[in-house]
DNA sequence: TTTCTAACA
DNA sequence: TGTTAGAA
């Protein structure tokens, strides 16, 4: 499980992130203000971004290119954060231990109901099916 | 040189 | 969002 630690390891200065994401420093700082990313700071108060942060910014970039405004992006990414602690997801994790046919079918049905809910939303094409994995 | 914050002809 | 001033 070192990958998780590595992904959140503060590594890059804002200049590098700008090139990687094709976002302006202004935008990157703005998204931080809105809690969409939480880069660390050096002793000299300079931002250090992790691979995770960059991934988030790239998602924001994609949403931006699709013409979604800040309010929409914020809504989508924050909802995505919730899904990490989503009761359904937790239930699916537990189900791997249980694994009776009845349970599998029941959860599968819930998954589809949930997927349908997400699909009608303003999620970007790339994110629409993430919930099926 | 690069990045930070704050502010706006 | 861009841009800029002044500081670190």
């Amino acid at each position: 499980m070192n990958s998780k630690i590595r992904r959140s390891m503060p590594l890059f200065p804002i200049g590098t992130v700008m090139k990687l994401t094709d976002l302006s420093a202004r935008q990157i700082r703005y998204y931080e203000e809105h809690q969409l990313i939480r880069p660390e700071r050096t002793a000299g108060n300079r931002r250090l971004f992790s691979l995770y942060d960059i991934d988030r910014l790239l998602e924001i970039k994609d949403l931006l290119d699709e013409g979604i405004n800040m309010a929409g992006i914020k809504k989508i990414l924050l909802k995505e954060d919730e899904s990490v602690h989503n009761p359904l997801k937790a239930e699916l994790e537990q189900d791997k231990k249980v694994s009776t046919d009845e349970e599998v079918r029941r959860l599968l049905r819930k998954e589809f109901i949930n997927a349908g809910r997400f699909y009608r939303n303003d999620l970007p094409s790339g994110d629409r099916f993430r919930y099926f994995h």
Side-chain angles (χ1 to χ4, degrees):
Chain A
M1 253 301 168
N2 287 282
S3 59
K4 190 173 181 180
I5 299 175
R6 290 180 184 286
R7 281 179 201 293
S8 55
M9 187 185 303
L11 295 173
F12 318 94
I14 197 167
T16 303
V17 179
M18 287 173 67
K19 296 170 186 170
L20 253 34
T21 62
D22 198 36
L23 291 169
S24 68
R26 178 76 161 84
Q27 286 176 299
I28 296 171
R29 294 179 185 126
Y30 181 68
Y31 301 142
E32 178 188 24
E33 282 186 49
H34 286 261
Q35 315 282 292
L36 268 34
I37 51 173
R38 306 172 172 293
E40 294 295 304
R41 295 295 182 117
T42 66
N45 195 40
R46 298 180 149 211
R47 275 169 265 253
L48 282 185
F49 300 81
S50 66
L51 290 173
Y52 176 74
D53 290 325
I54 293 175
D55 194 53
R56 291 276 293 203
L57 289 171
L58 287 174
E59 287 189 63
I60 294 174
K61 225 291 180 176
D62 289 337
L63 296 174
L64 241 37
D65 291 339
E66 292 176 39
I68 300 175
N69 56 45
M70 254 305 295
I73 292 174
K74 195 170 182 178
K75 188 176 180 181
I76 293 170
L77 289 188
L78 293 182
K79 179 173 295 183
E80 198 172 283
D81 286 340
E82 288 178 23
S83 74
V84 175
H85 308 291
N86 198 2
L88 171 63
K89 204 165 188 177
E91 201 170 350
L92 284 170
E93 286 300 303
Q94 286 183 27
D95 199 57
K96 288 175 182 174
K97 303 167 187 172
V98 183
S99 194
T100 69
D101 287 1
E102 187 60 28
E103 276 297 279
V104 172
R105 257 183 284 108
R106 186 175 67 79
L107 288 172
L108 214 55
R109 182 166 49 72
K110 287 184 67 175
E111 263 286 86
F112 273 88
I113 294 173
N114 230 273
R117 238 183 52 211
F118 279 116
Y119 190 87
R120 282 201 170 281
N121 246 330
D122 49 353
L123 286 175
S125 57
D127 288 288
R128 256 171 218 154
F129 304 101
R130 176 169 299 166
Y131 304 90
F132 287 97
H133 296 332

